[in-house]
Amino acid sequence: MYRKDLDTLLKKSSPKATLLYGESNFLISYYSAKIAKKITDKSNKTTFYYSDYDFRSVMDILGQSSLFSDESLVVLKLDKKLPKKEIDSFLNAISMNANNSLIIEFYRSDSKTSAEYAQDFRTFASAFKGEGVIDVRFFDPNFYDCIALLRERANELNLDIEDRLLGVILNLQNNDLSIAYNELEKFTIFDKPITIEDIHKLSYGLGSVGIDELYNAIFDKKDALSLLWKIQEEGLDDIEILREMERYFYQLFLFFAYIKSNGSPNAKDILGFAPPQAIVDKLASRAIRIKEEGYQKIFELFRKWRNVSMRGQKNFSLNVLIKLQVYIR
C-alpha cells in the first residue's frame, strides 16, 4: 500500500506487523514512530539498529506471551532484506502471541543502487503477508506535503508560525524535511509569533564562532580537523555539525545558481531575508569557488555522513573535511 492507504488504516486500527520502505527516509521513520505510539508505550518497545539485529533475540521477544497482557513491540532498522525463513518465523510468532507486534524500517544501503534497493524491497514485501500484516512504500514528499508535516509538528510544539515561514526553514535546511522537522524545536524558546528575524537569528545560532572558524579553515584549505575536534569537545555531535554544514553549503548552492543565472546575487531573493552585507559577500565569493558537479558530490558526501552517523560509525568526518577541500577551487 501507499501513504494515503496507511493514513486511512491508522484511523481505524493498528497493524500487527509493518514493513516500511521507499524513497523517503523521513517518512519511513515518521510512520514507524506514529504506528509504534498507537501500539504501546516506549517501555514496551525494543529497537534493533542495523548490525545489532539478531534473529534469536528478536524471536525471544516476539515468541513470548506477557503475563500481564502488555504489548511487546520490536522495531528493526535494516538496510539488508531478511531471509524469507526468518520473516515467516516472526509473522508466525506474532500470530500466536496476540500482544506482540513488529515494525521493520527498511532503508537503502549505501552499497546498493536505487534499482537494487527496489528489487530488494519488492522481494521483502512479497514475503511479508498475512492477517494484520502490511507493507508500505513511501515516495519523497512534495513541497506542500513537507509544509503540512511541518505544520503538524509546529502545532504539537505550540509554535505560532506562518506556513510561509515554515517554507523558509525548509529552504534553509536544503529542503531536507528531517532536518527542518527537528529544527522547529529551536523555536520553542519564543513565547510569541515567530518572525523572519527569529529564523535568521536561530538559523545562524548553531553557526557559532567555532563553526565560522571551521568554514574559514575549509575554504582557506588550512587544518580544519583540529577545529572540528574542538567543536566536538564543546558538545556538538556529528549530526548537529552535519545539519549546520548542510544548511551552509545549500545556501552556497543557492547563491551559485542565482549568480549563474543573474550575474550578481540578491540575498532577499535567494534566502527570503537579507543578512548583513559582509555575510552576503562571503557567501557569494565562496559559492562560485565550487563547480556544479562539486555541489552534487558534496551533498552526496553529506548523505553518506548522515547514514554512517546514524549507525554509530565515527571518524567519517575526517573523510568529509578532506574531500570538501578537494571540491573547492
Side-chain angles (χ1 to χ4, degrees):
M1 66 173 62
Y2 299 108
R3 181 186 171 196
K4 185 179 293 186
D5 305 310
L6 178 59
D7 285 334
T8 301
L9 173 66
L10 292 180
K11 291 177 182 178
K12 304 175 184 176
S13 61
S14 302
K16 298 301 297 177
T18 307
L19 172 64
L20 308 173
Y21 55 89
E23 288 70 22
S24 174
N25 287 354
F26 173 84
L27 290 179
I28 293 172
S29 176
Y30 171 84
Y31 275 96
S32 175
K34 189 172 186 176
I35 295 168
K37 189 175 181 180
K38 287 180 65 70
I39 292 174
T40 188
D41 57 51
K42 290 183 179 180
S43 62
N44 296 324
K45 174 181 171 182
T46 305
T47 303
F48 294 84
Y49 295 86
Y50 301 98
S51 59
D52 292 337
Y53 166 74
D54 176 72
F55 170 72
R56 183 47 53 192
S57 297
V58 177
M59 280 299 297
D60 286 344
I61 299 172
L62 296 180
Q64 292 183 6
S65 296
S66 171
L67 296 176
F68 306 101
S69 299
D70 290 330
E71 295 275 3
S72 290
L73 169 65
V74 171
V75 177
L76 305 181
K77 296 178 181 287
L78 306 174
D79 59 4
K80 296 180 181 178
K81 68 177 186 293
L82 298 179
K84 186 177 185 304
K85 185 176 181 180
E86 294 184 10
I87 298 171
D88 290 342
S89 296
F90 292 156
L91 298 183
N92 183 57
I94 290 170
S95 68
M96 297 178 65
N97 298 279
N99 290 326
N100 297 341
S101 301
L102 172 68
I103 298 173
I104 300 179
E105 303 173 25
F106 183 45
Y107 300 95
R108 179 169 74 87
S109 167
D110 287 339
S111 62
K112 296 274 189 176
T113 66
S114 296
E116 290 170 332
Y117 172 59
Q119 183 176 355
D120 283 350
F121 68 59
R122 290 191 188 98
T123 302
F124 209 152
S126 67
F128 214 79
K129 303 296 180 184
E131 185 176 353
V133 179
I134 66 170
D135 68 275
V136 188
R137 179 178 180 179
F138 297 105
F139 296 92
D140 283 325
N142 61 36
F143 176 80
Y144 299 103
D145 289 335
C146 290
I147 296 301
L149 288 162
L150 292 177
R151 166 54 55 200
E152 177 185 280
R153 182 58 175 160
N155 291 344
E156 290 174 356
L157 296 171
N158 295 316
L159 298 181
D160 187 352
I161 183 171
E162 299 176 14
D163 283 0
R164 68 179 182 85
L165 296 183
L166 293 175
V168 171
I169 294 173
L170 181 64
N171 179 271
L172 287 175
Q173 301 305 330
N174 192 14
N175 289 319
D176 188 316
L177 178 57
S178 178
I179 301 175
Y181 193 86
N182 291 325
E183 280 287 293
L184 290 179
E185 293 188 21
K186 287 183 178 181
F187 297 92
T188 57
I189 65 172
F190 295 113
D191 187 20
K192 65 179 185 65
I194 308 302
T195 66
I196 190 68
E197 289 76 20
D198 296 328
I199 294 173
H200 179 197
K201 190 182 302 179
L202 284 193
S203 70
Y204 285 92
L206 187 59
S208 63
V209 174
I211 290 288
D212 286 340
E213 289 178 352
L214 179 61
Y215 294 148
N216 291 339
I218 290 172
F219 278 88
D220 292 342
K221 300 197 174 183
K222 295 181 179 179
D223 178 21
L225 183 58
S226 59
L227 286 170
L228 177 65
W229 286 340
K230 180 180 178 181
I231 292 168
Q232 290 170 332
E233 287 174 357
E234 291 176 352
L236 291 181
D237 61 25
D238 269 13
I239 291 295
E240 291 174 308
I241 296 169
L242 170 59
R243 286 174 182 167
E244 171 60 16
M245 293 187 73
E246 284 180 319
R247 181 199 63 79
Y248 187 77
F249 276 87
Y250 185 62
Q251 285 186 337
L252 293 182
F253 175 71
L254 292 178
F255 271 81
F256 168 83
Y258 193 95
I259 292 170
K260 188 175 181 180
S261 299
N262 299 280
S264 60
N266 183 315
K268 192 167 182 62
D269 286 347
I270 298 169
L271 301 175
F273 59 90
Q277 189 59 42
I279 293 177
V280 174
D281 292 342
K282 182 176 287 187
L283 288 170
S285 63
R286 287 179 173 176
I288 60 177
R289 291 181 60 189
I290 304 172
K291 295 181 179 180
E292 185 171 351
E293 58 268 27
Y295 282 108
Q296 293 175 341
K297 292 176 181 177
I298 286 171
F299 294 133
E300 176 63 21
L301 184 63
F302 286 159
R303 187 186 71 81
K304 290 181 179 179
W305 190 6
R306 174 176 297 279
N307 287 342
V308 299
S309 294
M310 289 175 62
R311 297 173 195 174
Q313 182 179 331
K314 298 181 179 179
N315 301 322
F316 190 76
S317 52
L318 171 60
N319 186 41
V320 172
L321 293 182
I322 294 172
K323 289 190 175 181
L324 276 178
Q325 291 183 323
V326 170
Y327 299 141
I328 295 170
R329 294 184 286 182

